[in-house]
Amino acid sequence: MTATTLLLLGFSLSVDAFAAAIGKGAASERARLVDALRVGAYFGFFEAITPALGWMVGVAVSAWIASVDHWVAFGLLALVGGNMIRQGMRPEAAPESGEQPTRKSQLGPMQLVLTALATSIDASAVGVSLAVVDVNIVQACVIIGLVTAVMAFGGVLIGRKAGPLLGRKAEVLGGLALLGIGTKILVEHTLL
């Protein structure tokens, strides 16, 4: 596999992470540059290690991975997305002395781990397929991880700009986006 092919693979695998990062940035109270870097690091890390895990598992258990990965991804995304929707629909506390009401940050470590893991589970199946082609798995994982980190970083920044325009609807939209991603993964794997 050429570096160009691996870049294209990285972009295709990072689309879900990009969409989730936009939701995280929009739903966060004040996503700062350091928050965008942290989201990029979490998403990039998980997107980089899951192909390696799939590669290590290899072809021998590919049927087992393929039979459950979509359910795990759907469950995790539904859990995180449902929580975002619940938080977004919760009545806001009355602001004191003209302060703006605050939203709970969607950038906590556990939420980032769950979302990053859920959006990268498909990469494990890609890793299994990489085990049967001539590829440098370390190079592949580094490229996939870096592309995802950059895409997620940009997604948070885009979401940060959209968040104030959308208000609390951003959290609901972010949750719906995660549910949509999970449903897409589930449908693609059960119908194909």
Side-chain angles (χ1 to χ4, degrees), residues 120-178:
S120 66
I121 285 176
D122 278 355
S124 65
V126 170
V128 171
S129 66
L130 292 177
V132 298
V133 297
D134 184 28
V135 66
N136 178 334
I137 192 64
V138 173
Q139 179 188 24
C141 290
V142 168
I143 290 173
I144 291 167
L146 287 175
V147 168
T148 301
V150 170
M151 294 286 286
F153 171 80
V156 171
L157 297 180
I158 291 169
R160 177 176 72 176
K161 294 295 184 190
L165 299 173
L166 298 172
R168 289 183 57 89
K169 294 177 192 153
E171 201 158 10
V172 173
L173 290 174
L176 289 172
L178 292 181

Short mmCIF file of all heavy atoms in Angstrom, two decimals, residues 120-178:
data_model
loop_
_atom_site.label_atom_id
_atom_site.label_comp_id
_atom_site.label_asym_id
_atom_site.label_seq_id
_atom_site.Cartn_x
_atom_site.Cartn_y
_atom_site.Cartn_z
N SER A 120 -14.12 4.44 16.28
CA SER A 120 -12.95 3.79 15.68
C SER A 120 -13.05 2.27 15.62
O SER A 120 -12.13 1.61 15.14
CB SER A 120 -11.69 4.18 16.47
OG SER A 120 -11.73 3.67 17.77
N ILE A 121 -14.16 1.71 16.05
CA ILE A 121 -14.28 0.25 16.06
C ILE A 121 -14.20 -0.33 14.64
O ILE A 121 -13.59 -1.37 14.43
CB ILE A 121 -15.57 -0.18 16.78
CG1 ILE A 121 -15.37 -0.01 18.28
CG2 ILE A 121 -15.94 -1.61 16.46
CD1 ILE A 121 -16.57 -0.31 19.12
N ASP A 122 -14.76 0.37 13.67
CA ASP A 122 -14.67 -0.12 12.29
C ASP A 122 -13.23 -0.25 11.82
O ASP A 122 -12.92 -1.09 10.97
CB ASP A 122 -15.43 0.80 11.33
CG ASP A 122 -16.91 0.52 11.32
OD1 ASP A 122 -17.35 -0.44 11.98
OD2 ASP A 122 -17.65 1.27 10.66
N ALA A 123 -12.35 0.56 12.39
CA ALA A 123 -10.94 0.50 11.99
C ALA A 123 -10.32 -0.84 12.38
O ALA A 123 -9.34 -1.26 11.75
CB ALA A 123 -10.16 1.65 12.61
N SER A 124 -10.86 -1.51 13.39
CA SER A 124 -10.33 -2.83 13.75
C SER A 124 -10.58 -3.83 12.62
O SER A 124 -9.73 -4.67 12.33
CB SER A 124 -10.92 -3.33 15.07
OG SER A 124 -12.30 -3.55 14.95
N ALA A 125 -11.75 -3.73 11.99
CA ALA A 125 -12.03 -4.61 10.86
C ALA A 125 -11.10 -4.29 9.70
O ALA A 125 -10.64 -5.21 8.99
CB ALA A 125 -13.49 -4.46 10.44
N VAL A 126 -10.81 -3.01 9.50
CA VAL A 126 -9.84 -2.63 8.48
C VAL A 126 -8.49 -3.22 8.81
O VAL A 126 -7.77 -3.71 7.94
CB VAL A 126 -9.77 -1.09 8.33
CG1 VAL A 126 -8.60 -0.67 7.46
CG2 VAL A 126 -11.07 -0.54 7.78
N GLY A 127 -8.13 -3.21 10.09
CA GLY A 127 -6.87 -3.80 10.52
C GLY A 127 -6.77 -5.27 10.18
O GLY A 127 -5.70 -5.76 9.80
N VAL A 128 -7.88 -5.98 10.31
CA VAL A 128 -7.89 -7.40 9.94
C VAL A 128 -7.58 -7.55 8.46
O VAL A 128 -6.78 -8.38 8.05
CB VAL A 128 -9.24 -8.06 10.29
CG1 VAL A 128 -9.33 -9.46 9.73
CG2 VAL A 128 -9.44 -8.08 11.80
N SER A 129 -8.19 -6.69 7.65
CA SER A 129 -7.92 -6.78 6.21
C SER A 129 -6.49 -6.36 5.88
O SER A 129 -5.90 -6.86 4.92
CB SER A 129 -8.93 -5.95 5.41
OG SER A 129 -8.77 -4.57 5.68
N LEU A 130 -5.92 -5.46 6.67
CA LEU A 130 -4.53 -5.06 6.44
C LEU A 130 -3.57 -6.22 6.72
O LEU A 130 -2.45 -6.23 6.21
CB LEU A 130 -4.16 -3.85 7.30
CG LEU A 130 -4.84 -2.53 6.95
CD1 LEU A 130 -4.44 -1.44 7.94
CD2 LEU A 130 -4.53 -2.10 5.52
N ALA A 131 -4.01 -7.18 7.52
CA ALA A 131 -3.16 -8.33 7.85
C ALA A 131 -2.94 -9.23 6.63
O ALA A 131 -1.97 -9.99 6.60
CB ALA A 131 -3.78 -9.14 8.99
N VAL A 132 -3.83 -9.16 5.65
CA VAL A 132 -3.70 -10.05 4.50
C VAL A 132 -3.11 -9.35 3.28
O VAL A 132 -2.95 -9.97 2.23
CB VAL A 132 -5.05 -10.71 4.13
CG1 VAL A 132 -5.54 -11.57 5.28
CG2 VAL A 132 -6.08 -9.67 3.74
N VAL A 133 -2.78 -8.07 3.39
CA VAL A 133 -2.14 -7.36 2.28
C VAL A 133 -0.74 -6.94 2.72
O VAL A 133 -0.42 -6.92 3.90
CB VAL A 133 -2.95 -6.11 1.83
CG1 VAL A 133 -4.30 -6.52 1.29
CG2 VAL A 133 -3.10 -5.10 2.94
N ASP A 134 0.06 -6.58 1.78
CA ASP A 134 1.43 -6.16 2.08
C ASP A 134 1.42 -4.71 2.56
O ASP A 134 1.37 -3.78 1.75
CB ASP A 134 2.30 -6.32 0.83
CG ASP A 134 3.76 -6.00 1.12
OD1 ASP A 134 4.19 -6.18 2.27
OD2 ASP A 134 4.45 -5.57 0.18
N VAL A 135 1.43 -4.52 3.87
CA VAL A 135 1.40 -3.17 4.42
C VAL A 135 2.28 -3.11 5.66
O VAL A 135 2.38 -4.07 6.42
CB VAL A 135 -0.06 -2.74 4.76
CG1 VAL A 135 -0.62 -3.57 5.88
CG2 VAL A 135 -0.14 -1.27 5.09
N ASN A 136 2.93 -1.98 5.83
CA ASN A 136 3.66 -1.71 7.05
C ASN A 136 2.64 -1.22 8.06
O ASN A 136 2.17 -0.08 7.98
CB ASN A 136 4.75 -0.67 6.79
CG ASN A 136 5.53 -0.30 8.03
OD1 ASN A 136 5.04 -0.41 9.16
ND2 ASN A 136 6.74 0.16 7.82
N ILE A 137 2.26 -2.06 9.03
CA ILE A 137 1.16 -1.73 9.94
C ILE A 137 1.49 -0.53 10.81
O ILE A 137 0.59 0.27 11.12
CB ILE A 137 0.74 -2.96 10.79
CG1 ILE A 137 -0.58 -2.69 11.52
CG2 ILE A 137 1.84 -3.33 11.77
CD1 ILE A 137 -1.78 -2.49 10.62
N VAL A 138 2.74 -0.33 11.16
CA VAL A 138 3.10 0.84 11.98
C VAL A 138 2.88 2.11 11.17
O VAL A 138 2.27 3.07 11.66
CB VAL A 138 4.57 0.74 12.47
CG1 VAL A 138 4.99 2.02 13.16
CG2 VAL A 138 4.73 -0.46 13.40
N GLN A 139 3.33 2.12 9.93
CA GLN A 139 3.13 3.28 9.06
C GLN A 139 1.63 3.53 8.85
O GLN A 139 1.17 4.67 8.92
CB GLN A 139 3.82 3.08 7.72
CG GLN A 139 3.62 4.24 6.75
CD GLN A 139 4.15 3.94 5.36
OE1 GLN A 139 4.28 2.78 4.97
NE2 GLN A 139 4.47 4.99 4.63
N ALA A 140 0.89 2.48 8.62
CA ALA A 140 -0.55 2.61 8.40
C ALA A 140 -1.23 3.22 9.63
O ALA A 140 -2.03 4.14 9.51
CB ALA A 140 -1.16 1.25 8.07
N CYS A 141 -0.90 2.72 10.80
CA CYS A 141 -1.53 3.21 12.03
C CYS A 141 -1.16 4.66 12.31
O CYS A 141 -2.01 5.46 12.73
CB CYS A 141 -1.15 2.33 13.21
SG CYS A 141 -1.91 0.70 13.14
N VAL A 142 0.10 5.02 12.07
CA VAL A 142 0.53 6.40 12.29
C VAL A 142 -0.22 7.35 11.35
O VAL A 142 -0.74 8.39 11.78
CB VAL A 142 2.06 6.54 12.13
CG1 VAL A 142 2.49 8.00 12.05
CG2 VAL A 142 2.78 5.84 13.27
N ILE A 143 -0.30 7.00 10.08
CA ILE A 143 -0.99 7.86 9.11
C ILE A 143 -2.47 7.96 9.45
O ILE A 143 -3.03 9.06 9.49
CB ILE A 143 -0.78 7.34 7.67
CG1 ILE A 143 0.68 7.58 7.25
CG2 ILE A 143 -1.74 8.03 6.70
CD1 ILE A 143 1.06 6.97 5.92
N ILE A 144 -3.12 6.85 9.73
CA ILE A 144 -4.55 6.86 10.07
C ILE A 144 -4.79 7.70 11.33
O ILE A 144 -5.71 8.52 11.40
CB ILE A 144 -5.08 5.42 10.24
CG1 ILE A 144 -5.11 4.71 8.90
CG2 ILE A 144 -6.46 5.42 10.89
CD1 ILE A 144 -5.31 3.20 8.99
N GLY A 145 -3.95 7.51 12.34
CA GLY A 145 -4.10 8.26 13.59
C GLY A 145 -3.89 9.75 13.41
O GLY A 145 -4.64 10.56 13.95
N LEU A 146 -2.86 10.13 12.64
CA LEU A 146 -2.59 11.56 12.42
C LEU A 146 -3.71 12.23 11.62
O LEU A 146 -4.13 13.34 11.94
CB LEU A 146 -1.24 11.74 11.71
CG LEU A 146 -0.01 11.50 12.57
CD1 LEU A 146 1.27 11.59 11.73
CD2 LEU A 146 0.05 12.47 13.74
N VAL A 147 -4.17 11.56 10.58
CA VAL A 147 -5.27 12.12 9.78
C VAL A 147 -6.51 12.31 10.66
O VAL A 147 -7.16 13.36 10.62
CB VAL A 147 -5.59 11.23 8.56
CG1 VAL A 147 -6.89 11.64 7.89
CG2 VAL A 147 -4.45 11.28 7.56
N THR A 148 -6.82 11.33 11.48
CA THR A 148 -7.99 11.43 12.35
C THR A 148 -7.82 12.54 13.38
O THR A 148 -8.76 13.28 13.66
CB THR A 148 -8.27 10.08 13.05
OG1 THR A 148 -8.47 9.09 12.05
CG2 THR A 148 -9.49 10.16 13.94
N ALA A 149 -6.61 12.66 13.94
CA ALA A 149 -6.36 13.72 14.93
C ALA A 149 -6.58 15.10 14.32
O ALA A 149 -7.23 15.96 14.93
CB ALA A 149 -4.94 13.59 15.48
N VAL A 150 -6.09 15.30 13.11
CA VAL A 150 -6.26 16.59 12.44
C VAL A 150 -7.74 16.84 12.12
O VAL A 150 -8.26 17.94 12.33
CB VAL A 150 -5.40 16.66 11.15
CG1 VAL A 150 -5.74 17.87 10.31
CG2 VAL A 150 -3.92 16.67 11.52
N MET A 151 -8.42 15.81 11.63
CA MET A 151 -9.85 15.96 11.30
C MET A 151 -10.68 16.25 12.55
O MET A 151 -11.57 17.11 12.53
CB MET A 151 -10.36 14.71 10.60
CG MET A 151 -9.75 14.44 9.24
SD MET A 151 -10.36 15.53 7.96
CE MET A 151 -11.99 14.84 7.72
N ALA A 152 -10.41 15.56 13.64
CA ALA A 152 -11.16 15.79 14.88
C ALA A 152 -10.86 17.16 15.45
O ALA A 152 -11.76 17.85 15.94
CB ALA A 152 -10.85 14.70 15.90
N PHE A 153 -9.61 17.58 15.39
CA PHE A 153 -9.22 18.92 15.84
C PHE A 153 -10.02 19.97 15.08
O PHE A 153 -10.62 20.87 15.66
CB PHE A 153 -7.71 19.11 15.61
CG PHE A 153 -7.22 20.51 15.83
CD1 PHE A 153 -6.99 20.99 17.11
CD2 PHE A 153 -6.98 21.36 14.76
CE1 PHE A 153 -6.53 22.28 17.32
CE2 PHE A 153 -6.52 22.64 14.94
CZ PHE A 153 -6.30 23.11 16.23
N GLY A 154 -10.04 19.85 13.75
CA GLY A 154 -10.81 20.78 12.93
C GLY A 154 -12.30 20.71 13.21
O GLY A 154 -12.99 21.73 13.20
N GLY A 155 -12.80 19.51 13.46
CA GLY A 155 -14.22 19.35 13.77
C GLY A 155 -14.63 20.09 15.03
O GLY A 155 -15.69 20.73 15.07
N VAL A 156 -13.80 20.04 16.06
CA VAL A 156 -14.10 20.77 17.30
C VAL A 156 -14.13 22.27 17.04
O VAL A 156 -15.02 22.98 17.52
CB VAL A 156 -13.09 20.43 18.42
CG1 VAL A 156 -13.27 21.35 19.63
CG2 VAL A 156 -13.24 18.98 18.85
N LEU A 157 -13.17 22.77 16.26
CA LEU A 157 -13.13 24.20 15.96
C LEU A 157 -14.35 24.64 15.16
O LEU A 157 -14.92 25.71 15.41
CB LEU A 157 -11.84 24.56 15.23
CG LEU A 157 -10.55 24.34 16.02
CD1 LEU A 157 -9.33 24.73 15.19
CD2 LEU A 157 -10.57 25.10 17.34
N ILE A 158 -14.76 23.82 14.21
CA ILE A 158 -15.98 24.13 13.45
C ILE A 158 -17.20 24.10 14.37
O ILE A 158 -18.04 25.00 14.34
CB ILE A 158 -16.15 23.14 12.27
CG1 ILE A 158 -15.07 23.39 11.22
CG2 ILE A 158 -17.56 23.26 11.66
CD1 ILE A 158 -14.99 22.31 10.15
N GLY A 159 -17.28 23.07 15.20
CA GLY A 159 -18.39 22.97 16.15
C GLY A 159 -18.42 24.11 17.14
O GLY A 159 -19.48 24.59 17.54
N ARG A 160 -17.24 24.57 17.55
CA ARG A 160 -17.15 25.68 18.50
C ARG A 160 -17.80 26.94 17.92
O ARG A 160 -18.49 27.68 18.62
CB ARG A 160 -15.69 25.96 18.84
CG ARG A 160 -15.49 27.14 19.77
CD ARG A 160 -14.06 27.31 20.14
NE ARG A 160 -13.29 27.83 19.01
CZ ARG A 160 -12.01 28.15 19.08
NH1 ARG A 160 -11.35 27.99 20.20
NH2 ARG A 160 -11.38 28.62 18.03
N LYS A 161 -17.61 27.18 16.64
CA LYS A 161 -18.22 28.35 15.98
C LYS A 161 -19.72 28.17 15.82
O LYS A 161 -20.48 29.12 15.92
CB LYS A 161 -17.58 28.60 14.62
CG LYS A 161 -16.13 28.99 14.69
CD LYS A 161 -15.97 30.33 15.37
CE LYS A 161 -14.52 30.75 15.35
NZ LYS A 161 -14.27 31.91 16.17
N ALA A 162 -20.15 26.93 15.55
CA ALA A 162 -21.57 26.67 15.34
C ALA A 162 -22.35 26.63 16.65
O ALA A 162 -23.53 26.94 16.68
CB ALA A 162 -21.76 25.35 14.60
N GLY A 163 -21.68 26.25 17.75
CA GLY A 163 -22.34 26.10 19.05
C GLY A 163 -23.11 27.32 19.53
O GLY A 163 -24.29 27.23 19.88
N PRO A 164 -22.47 28.51 19.55
CA PRO A 164 -23.20 29.69 20.02
C PRO A 164 -24.41 30.05 19.15
O PRO A 164 -25.40 30.58 19.63
CB PRO A 164 -22.15 30.80 19.96
CG PRO A 164 -20.84 30.09 20.07
CD PRO A 164 -21.06 28.78 19.37
N LEU A 165 -24.32 29.73 17.87
CA LEU A 165 -25.45 30.01 16.99
C LEU A 165 -26.63 29.08 17.28
O LEU A 165 -27.79 29.46 17.11
CB LEU A 165 -25.03 29.84 15.52
CG LEU A 165 -23.92 30.77 15.04
CD1 LEU A 165 -23.48 30.37 13.63
CD2 LEU A 165 -24.35 32.21 15.08
N LEU A 166 -26.32 27.86 17.70
CA LEU A 166 -27.36 26.87 17.93
C LEU A 166 -27.84 26.81 19.37
O LEU A 166 -28.93 26.30 19.64
CB LEU A 166 -26.83 25.48 17.53
CG LEU A 166 -26.44 25.31 16.07
CD1 LEU A 166 -25.77 23.97 15.87
CD2 LEU A 166 -27.67 25.43 15.19
N GLY A 167 -27.04 27.31 20.32
CA GLY A 167 -27.42 27.25 21.73
C GLY A 167 -27.53 25.80 22.21
O GLY A 167 -26.75 24.95 21.82
N ARG A 168 -28.53 25.52 23.04
CA ARG A 168 -28.71 24.17 23.59
C ARG A 168 -29.08 23.16 22.52
O ARG A 168 -28.93 21.96 22.71
CB ARG A 168 -29.75 24.19 24.70
CG ARG A 168 -29.24 24.89 25.95
CD ARG A 168 -30.23 24.85 27.07
NE ARG A 168 -30.65 23.53 27.46
CZ ARG A 168 -30.05 22.78 28.37
NH1 ARG A 168 -28.96 23.19 28.95
NH2 ARG A 168 -30.53 21.59 28.68
N LYS A 169 -29.56 23.63 21.39
CA LYS A 169 -29.88 22.71 20.29
C LYS A 169 -28.62 22.01 19.80
O LYS A 169 -28.70 20.92 19.26
CB LYS A 169 -30.52 23.47 19.13
CG LYS A 169 -31.88 24.04 19.44
CD LYS A 169 -32.40 24.84 18.27
CE LYS A 169 -33.61 25.63 18.72
NZ LYS A 169 -33.79 26.84 17.93
N ALA A 170 -27.45 22.64 20.00
CA ALA A 170 -26.20 22.04 19.55
C ALA A 170 -25.96 20.71 20.24
O ALA A 170 -25.51 19.74 19.61
CB ALA A 170 -25.03 22.98 19.82
N GLU A 171 -26.26 20.64 21.52
CA GLU A 171 -26.05 19.40 22.27
C GLU A 171 -26.99 18.31 21.75
O GLU A 171 -26.58 17.17 21.57
CB GLU A 171 -26.29 19.66 23.76
CG GLU A 171 -25.67 18.65 24.65
CD GLU A 171 -25.45 19.17 26.05
OE1 GLU A 171 -25.93 20.25 26.39
OE2 GLU A 171 -24.78 18.46 26.80
N VAL A 172 -28.24 18.69 21.49
CA VAL A 172 -29.20 17.73 20.96
C VAL A 172 -28.77 17.29 19.56
O VAL A 172 -28.78 16.09 19.24
CB VAL A 172 -30.63 18.33 20.93
CG1 VAL A 172 -31.60 17.40 20.23
CG2 VAL A 172 -31.11 18.64 22.34
N LEU A 173 -28.35 18.24 18.73
CA LEU A 173 -27.90 17.90 17.37
C LEU A 173 -26.66 17.02 17.41
O LEU A 173 -26.53 16.07 16.62
CB LEU A 173 -27.63 19.16 16.56
CG LEU A 173 -28.86 19.97 16.17
CD1 LEU A 173 -28.46 21.27 15.50
CD2 LEU A 173 -29.78 19.16 15.28
N GLY A 174 -25.74 17.30 18.33
CA GLY A 174 -24.55 16.46 18.48
C GLY A 174 -24.93 15.05 18.88
O GLY A 174 -24.38 14.07 18.36
N GLY A 175 -25.87 14.91 19.81
CA GLY A 175 -26.35 13.59 20.22
C GLY A 175 -27.03 12.86 19.08
O GLY A 175 -26.82 11.66 18.88
N LEU A 176 -27.85 13.60 18.33
CA LEU A 176 -28.51 12.99 17.17
C LEU A 176 -27.50 12.55 16.12
O LEU A 176 -27.66 11.50 15.48
CB LEU A 176 -29.53 13.95 16.56
CG LEU A 176 -30.79 14.20 17.39
CD1 LEU A 176 -31.62 15.33 16.78
CD2 LEU A 176 -31.61 12.93 17.52
N ALA A 177 -26.42 13.34 15.95
CA ALA A 177 -25.37 12.97 15.00
C ALA A 177 -24.70 11.67 15.42
O ALA A 177 -24.48 10.78 14.59
CB ALA A 177 -24.34 14.09 14.89
N LEU A 178 -24.42 11.52 16.73
CA LEU A 178 -23.81 10.28 17.20
C LEU A 178 -24.76 9.10 17.03
O LEU A 178 -24.33 8.01 16.62
CB LEU A 178 -23.39 10.41 18.67
CG LEU A 178 -22.24 11.37 18.96
CD1 LEU A 178 -21.92 11.37 20.44
CD2 LEU A 178 -21.01 11.00 18.15
#
